[in-house]
Amino acid sequence: ITLKELDGLHLHREEHIEEDTTFAEAATNIHGWWEDASISASAHLFYASAISFYLHDIGRLRANAGEIVRTVSALIQSAGLPKDYGLPALPKGLAAKLRQKDELVAVRTETVRERWDVLAALSPHPKPRMSGDDSDRDDREDDADDDLAEEK
């Protein structure tokens, strides 16, 4: 690759910025990440994605389903997840693929509610209200009152 080919990319040199926190400080600040809904949801997706990734290459890796689950579990626990906290549940389809490879593999299948909670925690928008919720009706009535007040 020559510089002429890169000419139109508007490249610029960045100055090295010194970090003001040490690794120990950063590790202390992130302690308890599993209690933050969005970070925990991200970890759930990482866990399922990593298992799926390794399961796809199970033959090339010369591993079995149990080894894959143990490896990915060790990865997530090395990021600070306490062992007594429990591992994330897996989607039904992925859990079924694991059990096809090894009937005795120990994974928990997530419920529809758990899957919804993970997806909602990752969303930039708040969770939608249930249609039968009284507070939802009150909010709609307040919005209607506000609309009437604006029209006057």
Side-chain angles (χ1 to χ4, degrees):
I1 298 177
T2 64
L3 289 178
K4 287 183 180 183
E5 292 176 14
L6 299 175
D7 187 37
L9 295 179
H10 307 291
L11 300 176
H12 62 279
R13 184 179 303 265
E14 290 186 11
E15 297 295 323
H16 179 68
I17 300 172
E18 291 293 323
E19 295 291 326
D20 60 342
T21 59
T22 64
F23 177 77
E25 290 173 7
T28 302
N29 291 339
I30 200 161
H31 179 74
W33 61 261
W34 54 90
E35 294 172 359
D36 180 276
S38 63
I39 297 174
S40 179
S42 182
H44 277 73
L45 292 179
F46 165 80
Y47 184 71
S49 297
I51 287 176
S52 178
F53 175 78
Y54 289 120
L55 187 62
H56 180 43
D57 287 338
I58 197 167
R60 186 178 60 82
L61 296 172
R62 296 183 191 152
N64 63 43
E67 291 169 338
I68 290 172
V69 170
R70 283 190 297 278
T71 300
V72 176
S73 298
L75 277 172
I76 202 165
Q77 288 170 343
S78 73
L81 183 71
K83 288 186 180 188
D84 61 340
Y85 187 76
L87 295 168
L90 295 175
K92 284 183 183 179
L94 181 56
K97 286 180 185 178
L98 278 168
R99 290 187 183 113
Q100 281 178 339
K101 302 287 183 185
D102 182 355
E103 294 174 359
L104 301 177
V105 70
V107 293
R108 189 170 63 86
T109 303
E110 67 188 0
T111 63
V112 173
R113 175 60 192 241
E114 287 173 318
R115 187 63 165 170
W116 176 251
D117 288 344
V118 166
L119 295 174
L122 292 172
S123 172
H125 306 290
K127 287 184 183 179
R129 293 188 192 101
M130 301 302 284
S131 61
D133 190 4
D134 287 338
S135 64
D136 183 40
R137 188 178 315 113
D138 293 341
D139 289 344
R140 282 183 289 184
E141 290 172 2
D142 290 343
D143 289 343
D145 292 341
D146 292 342
D147 291 342
L148 287 175
E150 287 177 10
E151 289 177 6
K152 290 181 184 180

